[in-house]
Amino acid sequence: MKPPSWTQIKKIVLDILFPAVCLACDAFLKTEFEINNHLCAGCSNQMTTRDTLLCSACGARLPENIKICHRDAPFMLAAATDYENAIVRSLIFRLKYERLKEAAAPLTALLSEYLSNLDFDWDGFVVAPVPLHPKRLRERGWNQAELLSNSIAALLKLPHLPGALRRVRYEEPQAKIRTRAEREINMLNAFEAYKNIAGQNILLVDDVITTGATLRAAAAALKTAGCRRVIALVAARRS
């Protein structure tokens, strides 16, 4: 029998000293799936997903995944679940504010389940994240939307264009602004298209939508650049 390698021994020791725990409830993770997903089965089962797109203006379900109301809305919304879900809310907070990249794994799994529930043909789409301003990117070190969009592009086997948009204004974080009107003003002319994307269909990825001001501004910039269709994919919709 071949003796274990130093790498295997090191892993065994680290697993004993620092066992993997659930990012949501701190329970010890047992199976390989739980460990890879950084979430226990109990918490995973609490993250239920939708099965349709939504109107980005009023939140109405779109059973046929086509606009039946607010036809002038700049994008349709693909929101996997609601921000009120405590597990999802915790994961987004840890990804965004505690800078735990591991939280992207269960959120990607949530998005994957949601996308598999949608009866939608993504052929012809390209995937792009909502960008951070370069100054904020330096402060944070990485863009949580790009982490998710990279995984989604690989999952759907679609091109990934992290530079489709750029943020041209360093604005106050939306989370610090209370009113819808102030959020809209804060995002005014915040984005511009950075690559030649005329004629493209864009799957625009972010972590959460609240008032929709950020995604409306991003979608408007894409449409101004000549994009045909924009669908915004988020892990959660905050009502």
CSV table of all heavy atoms in Angstrom, one decimal, residues 3 15 26 103 105 178 214:
chain,number,residue,atom,x,y,z
A,3,PRO,N,2.2,4.8,0.8
A,3,PRO,CA,2.0,5.7,2.0
A,3,PRO,C,1.5,7.0,1.5
A,3,PRO,O,1.7,7.4,0.3
A,3,PRO,CB,3.4,5.8,2.5
A,3,PRO,CG,4.3,5.6,1.4
A,3,PRO,CD,3.6,4.5,0.5
A,15,ASP,N,-7.6,19.5,8.2
A,15,ASP,CA,-9.0,19.2,8.4
A,15,ASP,C,-9.3,19.0,9.9
A,15,ASP,O,-10.4,19.3,10.3
A,15,ASP,CB,-9.4,18.0,7.6
A,15,ASP,CG,-9.5,18.4,6.1
A,15,ASP,OD1,-9.5,19.6,5.8
A,15,ASP,OD2,-9.5,17.4,5.3
A,26,ASP,N,-22.5,28.0,10.8
A,26,ASP,CA,-21.3,27.5,11.5
A,26,ASP,C,-21.3,26.0,11.9
A,26,ASP,O,-20.5,25.6,12.7
A,26,ASP,CB,-21.0,28.3,12.8
A,26,ASP,CG,-20.6,29.8,12.5
A,26,ASP,OD1,-20.0,30.0,11.4
A,26,ASP,OD2,-20.9,30.7,13.3
A,103,ALA,N,-18.1,32.7,-0.1
A,103,ALA,CA,-19.6,32.9,-0.2
A,103,ALA,C,-20.1,32.9,-1.6
A,103,ALA,O,-21.3,32.8,-1.8
A,103,ALA,CB,-20.0,34.1,0.6
A,105,ALA,N,-19.5,30.7,-3.8
A,105,ALA,CA,-19.8,29.3,-4.2
A,105,ALA,C,-21.3,28.9,-4.0
A,105,ALA,O,-22.0,28.5,-4.9
A,105,ALA,CB,-18.9,28.3,-3.5
A,178,ARG,N,-30.8,56.2,1.3
A,178,ARG,CA,-32.1,55.6,1.8
A,178,ARG,C,-33.2,55.7,0.7
A,178,ARG,O,-33.9,54.8,0.4
A,178,ARG,CB,-32.6,56.3,3.1
A,178,ARG,CG,-31.7,56.0,4.3
A,178,ARG,CD,-32.3,56.5,5.5
A,178,ARG,NE,-31.5,56.1,6.7
A,178,ARG,CZ,-31.6,54.9,7.3
A,178,ARG,NH1,-32.5,54.1,6.9
A,178,ARG,NH2,-30.9,54.6,8.4
A,214,THR,N,-29.1,51.0,-9.8
A,214,THR,CA,-27.8,50.7,-10.4
A,214,THR,C,-28.0,49.9,-11.7
A,214,THR,O,-27.3,50.2,-12.7
A,214,THR,CB,-27.0,49.8,-9.4
A,214,THR,OG1,-26.7,50.5,-8.2
A,214,THR,CG2,-25.6,49.3,-10.0
